[in-house]
Amino acid sequence: MIWIIKFDDLTGQFCNIILDVKNNIMTKVIKHSWAEPYKIKMVEPVFMSTLEHRKEAIKEAGYNTFLLKSKDVYIDLLTDSGTSAMSDRQWAGLMMGDEAYAGSRNFYNLEDVIHEYYGYKHLVPTHQGRGAEHIISQIMIKDGDVLPGNMYFTTTKLHQEMAGGKFIDIIVDEAHDPDSLFLFKGNVNLDKLQEVIDTYGADKIPYVSIATTVNMAGGQPISMQNMKDIRALTAKYGIKVIHDMTRVAENAFMIQQNEEGYADKTVAEITRELCDLTDGATMSAKKDAMVNIGGFLAINDDDIFDEARNMVVIFEGLHTYGGMAGRDMEAMAIGIVESVQDDHMRARVGQVQYLGQQLIDFGVPIVKPVGTHGIFLDAKAFLPHVSQDKFPAQTLAAELYLDSGVRAMERGVVSAGRNKETGEHNYPKLELVRLTIPRRVYTQAHMDVVAESVETVFANRENINGMKMVYEPKYLRFFQAKFEKL
Ligand code: P61
């Protein structure tokens, strides 16, 4: 008897498929619950604010949800980064911190886990993902190089540019279409990759940048077949593949659910297979691995590792802690193992899908299919009367906070920044508001509150106007920019 859990597109529910191989019988049972494989041991009270309070708070924050104080937020869906709940085992791991300056045993535990679950040869710990991006970019990128990748991410692209490179988007066109139901919107269009190789030459491409899953596209997965095809094409030209593995286990879960041939493989096995198709990785462990802080660079090449070990001591810390405390490395090692458990992933993604389905049922425009770490509201379709230069997604995020104290994040023109050469705004096709779900933190009732609030704002959408930017920082402007209502 084989038991498989699949997401049923028709019903929008997870279902159990029971295969009785001996008698050749397949039974499909709709499973209404993706219930969590844990129970709650400790709670953290949150602030239930009034409308008057929220009006003041968001105005003071320049209508930028990044500038809100967390004490003024009810349900915090700004990010799933560093905001997940650690398990009792991870907390116990903190007590096992070995805070020796050099050679902490927690580093070696982490190294063992990374070898076993991800398979990379060398580990360089960093304080978080962007620390690893900085190191790999400075080592591998030269002035005039190009970096093809499956859609940009803010910090990744900035580090590539600061090292003298230019990012080129080679993701499939479906990724830019919020209504396309393609299941693997994180895939690379191989013709686009070939064109970049033909135009610039392989020697101008230090590596192809591949993210599992693709954050800016809505948390969309890449398929294993596409990964294999990328590997085959890059191998032909001797080009490396560097993997942004920030949400690799979530990607593995989607492969298990939706790619032929993977239904009976575990998330752990699929995760390992994905990593094995790449040459190295940057990781923000604040996501999949459910720690509050931490990250790493992992690399198979001995020479790059040698350089990275030289650099980490300048920018992060000694090569056996890289900006983390020993206890953080221990919690990360335990979190990595928890992150690849099938039960955990079914509940994690199940909760995201639950919220997504409620919004789809209400007719709210969101990126479809629903991804793994959050719901992305399509602000262009939500507020069609607000032109992109009036920051529809920024406006919508502020309105949602005003309505209920739910904090979301802009992922549109403000996040896309300005064109390096012309100084004009980059106008991305996707103008989104991200409702990001921290892992193991909120309940189904919280998701209902979020859905109701989005629905209320949607019903009032005609009364919402755009905003103008009144303060703009030079780098990663979305973090600190300020706005006024029009
Ligand atoms: C997030 F608004 N993500 O999603 P670090 N790669 C990928 C990430 O998702 C990621 C990093 C690298 C965040 C935090 C964040 O524009 C923003 O550990 C796929 O944050 O340095 C981070 O990892 C960087 C939010 C980062 C942003 C940049 O919420």
Side-chain angles (χ1 to χ4, degrees):
M1 205 84 97
I2 303 173
W3 187 57
I4 305 166
I5 301 156
K6 271 195 95 58
F7 192 70
D8 189 299
D9 289 330
L10 285 178
T11 59
Q13 303 273 11
F14 281 100
C15 62
N16 291 329
I17 295 180
I18 299 162
L19 295 173
D20 181 347
V21 183
K22 217 164 95 199
N23 298 308
N24 201 23
I25 301 171
M26 182 176 105
T27 328
K28 189 167 162 185
V29 188
I30 298 297
K31 188 177 158 92
H32 291 279
S33 174
W34 38 264
E36 296 84 352
Y38 55 83
K39 58 184 177 176
I40 296 165
K41 188 167 351 204
M42 191 185 282
V43 296
E44 176 183 344
V46 287
F47 176 52
M48 315 279 284
S49 55
T50 60
L51 178 61
E52 279 318 302
H53 184 94
R54 294 194 293 274
K55 272 186 186 161
E56 273 306 304
I58 192 78
K59 192 167 169 215
E60 201 183 307
Y63 296 93
N64 183 349
T65 52
F66 275 110
L67 297 177
L68 282 168
K69 294 182 180 134
S70 134
K71 73 170 180 58
D72 296 326
V73 174
Y74 172 30
I75 300 175
D76 202 346
L77 306 187
L78 183 72
T79 177
D80 62 333
S81 180
T83 54
S84 295
M86 291 207 293
S87 66
D88 52 358
R89 285 155 185 80
Q90 285 178 291
W91 280 101
L94 292 183
M95 294 305 293
M96 304 291 284
D98 169 5
E99 305 307 341
Y101 187 85
S104 159
R105 75 170 159 266
N106 310 119
F107 169 78
Y108 298 104
N109 290 347
L110 179 62
E111 203 178 38
D112 286 348
V113 164
I114 285 168
H115 287 156
E116 184 178 344
Y117 288 87
Y118 301 147
Y120 295 114
K121 190 169 169 198
H122 302 295
L123 164 68
V124 181
T126 57
H127 75 286
Q128 59 183 81
R130 68 197 73 179
E133 289 170 349
H134 173 220
I135 293 174
I136 197 72
S137 302
Q138 291 296 329
I139 293 173
M140 292 188 72
I141 302 172
K142 297 184 304 300
D143 244 343
D145 280 349
V146 293
L147 289 302
N150 56 346
M151 200 175 269
Y152 85 100
F153 186 71
T154 53
T155 54
T156 323
K157 177 166 165 260
L158 182 62
H159 279 298
Q160 291 169 348
E161 285 172 353
M162 288 176 89
K166 184 171 98 169
F167 175 81
I168 300 180
D169 190 5
I170 52 163
I171 203 164
V172 291
D173 290 340
E174 287 91 335
H176 294 282
D177 174 4
D179 292 318
S180 158
L181 292 177
F182 185 48
L183 285 171
F184 291 103
K185 282 180 162 181
N187 279 3
V188 160
N189 177 325
L190 294 154
D191 293 337
K192 290 187 191 176
L193 176 53
Q194 183 69 58
E195 200 185 313
V196 176
I197 298 171
D198 294 344
T199 308
Y200 295 91
D203 58 330
K204 287 276 174 228
I205 307 174
Y207 57 88
V208 177
S209 219
I210 296 298
T212 54
T213 59
V214 181
N215 194 348
M216 302 297 279
Q220 302 293 330
I222 181 170
S223 72
M224 189 68 82
Q225 187 55 52
N226 193 247
M227 272 296 226
K228 288 180 184 166
D229 293 343
I230 295 165
R231 177 73 290 175
L233 183 57
T234 51
K236 221 167 95 183
Y237 294 93
I239 299 171
K240 288 199 163 33
V241 176
I242 298 295
H243 177 196
D244 181 341
M245 62 178 300
T246 296
R247 298 181 182 84
V248 65
E250 292 181 5
N251 197 119
F253 178 74
M254 295 310 260
I255 288 175
Q256 183 194 59
Q257 297 304 300
N258 293 321
E259 188 165 352
E260 222 183 301
Y262 286 90
D264 53 358
K265 292 208 169 152
T266 64
V267 170
E269 286 166 341
I270 302 169
T271 298
R272 178 64 195 264
E273 194 176 332
L274 283 168
C275 294
D276 285 349
L277 289 164
T278 69
D279 299 291
T282 55
M283 169 69 155
S284 169
K286 301 168 73 174
K287 285 79 165 175
D288 253 10
M290 295 175 285
V291 284
N292 303 122
I293 194 71
F296 59 79
L297 169 67
I299 195 85
N300 293 337
D301 185 285
D302 296 338
D303 295 334
I304 298 175
F305 172 59
D306 202 45
E307 279 190 61
R309 255 164 56 114
N310 270 305
M311 262 188 88
V312 77
V313 294
I314 308 171
F315 292 103
E316 302 282 320
L318 196 77
H319 57 276
T320 55
Y321 73 83
M324 284 180 283
R327 55 179 173 268
D328 296 329
M329 292 190 280
E330 193 64 29
M332 192 201 295
I334 297 166
I336 288 171
V337 180
E338 291 179 359
S339 77
V340 296
Q341 302 308 313
D342 287 31
D343 280 351
H344 159 68
M345 214 28 102
R346 188 164 56 83
R348 191 291 185 270
V349 178
Q351 186 178 45
V352 176
Q353 305 272 341
Y354 171 81
L355 175 59
Q357 197 57 48
Q358 292 213 43
L359 296 178
I360 290 171
D361 291 347
F362 197 79
V364 175
I366 67 170
V367 173
K368 293 187 257 344
V370 174
T372 61
H373 70 299
I375 304 302
F376 291 66
L377 306 178
D378 177 1
K380 276 188 190 168
F382 202 114
L383 300 174
H385 54 286
V386 179
S387 55
Q388 211 172 359
D389 60 345
K390 300 200 173 69
F391 312 112
Q394 189 77 37
T395 307
L396 183 51
E399 288 295 329
L400 190 62
Y401 172 76
L402 269 174
D403 181 69
S404 58
V406 169
R407 168 154 72 169
M409 183 195 288
E410 192 264 7
R411 293 280 78 163
V413 58
V414 184
S415 295
R418 290 185 184 272
N419 181 300
K420 219 172 124 189
E421 276 116 42
T422 66
E424 293 298 310
H425 289 308
N426 289 318
Y427 286 107
K429 286 195 189 130
L430 296 177
E431 177 75 22
L432 308 175
V433 173
R434 188 181 75 172
L435 302 165
T436 341
I437 317 296
R439 297 160 191 80
R440 309 192 290 207
V441 171
Y442 291 113
T443 64
Q444 190 163 336
H446 284 122
M447 295 301 108
D448 293 341
V449 172
V450 174
E452 277 168 19
S453 179
V454 174
E455 288 161 15
T456 306
V457 177
F458 188 56
N460 284 325
R461 63 192 179 280
E462 272 159 28
N463 302 321
I464 300 172
N465 299 312
M467 301 201 291
K468 65 173 180 190
M469 203 188 298
V470 292
Y471 168 66
E472 181 176 354
K474 191 167 166 206
Y475 295 113
L476 302 175
R477 62 182 183 176
F478 50 89
F479 283 132
Q480 289 148 347
K482 291 199 166 183
F483 300 83
E484 272 172 16
K485 279 189 168 198
L486 288 176

